[in-house]
Amino acid sequence: SYGLTQPPSVSVSPGQTASITCSGDKLGDKYVCWYQQTPGQSPVLVIYQDSKRPSGIPERFSGSNSGNTATLTISETQTMDEADYYCQAWDISAGGVFGGGTKLTVL
Amino acid sequence: EVQLVESGGGLVQPGRSLRVSCAASGFTFSNYWMSWVRQAPGKGLEWVANIKQDGGERYYVDSVKGRFTISRDNAKNLLYLQMNSLRVEDTAVYFCARVPSSSWYFEKWGQGTLVTVSS
């Protein structure tokens, strides 16, 4: 079945740029989205269709997808960005597929 | 304002059944595909099921096929997940989510309802 792989953790200093990757076979042929989840809260969509931002999501959040890797980039990272981030794609056989999640630490 | 409010979670023994519900408001429910996504304690997200606007198409993750049934009542703006033959590994917070037209992602989420399967 189709799988998406994310690094378990990423650390970044405040004000720096954080990059979180998501890899899967021919992922660039699919649309990828990203969710942010803080402890005890529901996930929030931050990027959809590879690089589009929903209304209300800061411009600091951007996305890209090519080849086998999608990337979520957070510029000028703030302490409020500390959260778990999940990538997600749709596979014709497996249905909705999530990556395992990446814990972003801002310190 | 779009609102999705889940209910019906609780403690249930293995092998038993439970139905969770999601009440939708703030949008035209019948215009959207809807989904259930779950999250086991301390774990990641897992898509469970999707249902088309009119209920005519339904899709499930392999691990719940034949045990879970997604359904909806467009007159009441309600989404359901009937869970039969529950297993310990079904223990999770169950979220309902709205799927935008012609896309396959989850744009709005409820707060979730916890289902615990334990003897």
Side-chain angles (χ1 to χ4, degrees):
Chain A
S1 62
Y2 194 79
L4 296 175
T5 301
Q6 298 180 235
S9 63
V10 168
S11 295
V12 64
S13 300
Q16 300 303 302
T17 297
S19 295
I20 299 173
T21 58
C22 174
S23 61
D25 185 47
K26 298 180 181 178
L27 186 57
D29 293 344
K30 307 178 189 297
Y31 273 136
V32 172
C33 62
W34 293 88
Y35 304 91
Q36 176 194 66
Q37 187 181 34
T38 52
Q41 300 300 310
S42 305
V44 173
L45 180 70
V46 293
I47 293 289
Y48 67 99
Q49 292 181 353
D50 296 340
S51 59
K52 298 178 181 179
R53 277 179 296 103
S55 61
I57 300 301
E59 292 183 10
R60 303 183 289 104
F61 289 82
S62 62
S64 63
N65 183 22
S66 179
N68 293 324
T69 303
T71 303
L72 172 69
T73 302
I74 308 172
S75 305
E76 302 178 347
T77 307
Q78 302 179 8
T79 54
M80 68 169 62
D81 300 330
E82 192 164 280
D84 293 326
Y85 290 86
Y86 295 89
C87 61
Q88 181 250 314
W90 185 266
D91 178 75
I92 192 75
S93 298
V97 180
F98 286 93
T102 298
K103 182 178 181 60
L104 177 67
T105 301
V106 182
L107 45 70
Chain B
E1 179 192 3
V2 172
Q3 282 202 317
L4 299 169
V5 180
E6 300 91 337
S7 61
L11 175 63
V12 61
Q13 293 179 328
R16 304 299 289 266
S17 299
L18 191 69
R19 187 179 79 166
V20 292
S21 304
C22 171
S25 61
F27 65 101
T28 304
F29 180 69
S30 58
N31 286 353
Y32 290 86
W33 281 77
M34 295 295 295
S35 294
W36 287 99
V37 177
R38 67 183 178 183
Q39 186 171 36
K43 302 297 184 182
L45 300 169
E46 181 183 37
W47 167 76
V48 175
N50 278 3
I51 186 168
K52 193 178 179 180
Q53 290 92 330
D54 62 358
E57 293 181 40
R58 311 177 195 205
Y59 301 96
Y60 300 92
V61 67
D62 283 349
S63 60
V64 309
K65 283 179 182 175
R67 300 189 300 123
F68 289 13
T69 301
I70 187 172
S71 63
R72 62 193 297 162
D73 184 336
N74 286 342
K76 296 182 179 179
N77 292 345
L78 288 170
L79 177 72
Y80 302 106
L81 186 67
Q82 176 68 42
M83 302 180 286
N84 298 332
S85 303
L86 281 160
R87 305 168 180 169
V88 171
E89 55 265 34
D90 295 319
T91 295
V93 174
Y94 285 75
F95 297 99
C96 69
R98 190 177 82 173
V99 179
S101 301
S102 303
S103 297
W104 297 109
Y105 58 89
F106 313 107
E107 60 175 357
K108 297 291 183 183
W109 298 64
Q111 87 290 346
T113 187
L114 176 61
V115 174
T116 303
V117 184
S118 175
S119 55

